Amino acid sequence: MKDEAIKVGDKAPEFELKRQDGGLFRLYDILRGKNVVLYFYPKDSTSGCTKQACEFRDQYESFQDEGAEVVGISSDSIESHQRFERNHHLPFTLLSDNDGNVRKLFGVPRKLGLLPGRVTYIIDQSGIVRYVHNSLSKPLEHVSTALEVLHDINSELKAQRA
């Protein structure tokens, strides 16, 4: 178990969690073809988390256009994720980290020692963390900033190929 936070330039740790549909999610299975926007959030159906999820939903096509998949993680149950997905028509994967092991693996901090933090990681196809955004109080910033960073990563790749 890791105690320090994952930083830009670090290799993202592999993990396996249950998706809201009950299937297994493995990070490196997705990274074979896409960048991943992995966001940890405190709790389904709370005000800030709902705003953030709906903003990811509303911008989902833009993330797809940038070659990225959005994945949300909280400690909520699969059943809670299913309700959250259904109530807000979320097109992306939600993962249930019941025991908080993946949150610990990434070193996602808790606010005041109690409240699970809100941190977004952008992981490129080679498994390298390219960006980390940590802000519990500004959930919408995670979405707009992630899109900007993905656009920059893609521009950088195009320039390297030219």
Side-chain angles (χ1 to χ4, degrees):
M1 202 72 56
K2 229 173 129 66
D3 281 357
E4 61 187 60
I6 297 291
K7 301 176 296 305
V8 171
D10 289 349
K11 183 98 171 149
E14 173 62 298
F15 65 87
E16 189 175 277
L17 285 175
K18 287 219 174 188
R19 297 186 310 249
Q20 73 266 36
D21 65 6
L24 278 182
F25 173 94
R26 290 177 192 85
L27 179 61
Y28 280 80
D29 288 348
I30 300 297
L31 288 175
R32 287 187 191 132
K34 296 181 176 197
N35 296 317
V36 172
V37 177
L38 186 69
Y39 82 99
F40 290 84
Y41 64 99
K43 188 152 185 54
D44 290 344
S45 303
T46 56
S47 175
C49 296
T50 299
K51 283 179 189 159
Q52 183 181 25
C54 288
E55 186 66 12
F56 272 120
R57 175 201 64 204
D58 294 347
Q59 298 297 325
Y60 186 69
E61 197 171 299
S62 297
F63 282 100
Q64 297 281 287
D65 290 347
E66 292 291 346
E69 189 55 55
V70 175
V71 179
I73 299 179
S74 79
S75 60
D76 293 300
S77 69
I78 290 170
E79 294 77 18
S80 176
H81 283 340
Q82 289 169 342
R83 279 191 303 278
F84 193 43
E85 173 193 35
R86 194 171 47 248
N87 291 343
H88 300 289
H89 310 287
L90 304 178
F92 50 85
T93 300
L94 297 175
L95 301 175
S96 182
D97 184 24
N98 293 45
D99 53 15
N101 282 340
V102 174
R103 185 175 284 276
K104 287 180 199 136
L105 194 61
F106 275 79
V108 177
R110 292 183 161 274
K111 189 81 168 179
L112 306 172
L114 304 168
L115 195 61
R118 182 187 316 276
V119 180
T120 299
Y121 299 88
I122 295 179
I123 305 164
D124 70 18
Q125 290 181 41
S126 59
I128 302 300
V129 175
R130 299 291 299 268
Y131 182 78
V132 179
H133 186 76
N134 181 352
S135 172
L136 189 62
S137 61
K138 296 180 180 165
L140 299 182
E141 228 176 61
H142 289 256
V143 181
S144 58
T145 308
L147 270 174
E148 288 172 24
V149 170
L150 284 165
H151 183 74
D152 291 348
I153 290 170
N154 288 329
S155 295
E156 188 182 297
L157 283 173
K158 284 177 190 159
Q160 287 173 2
R161 289 185 195 131

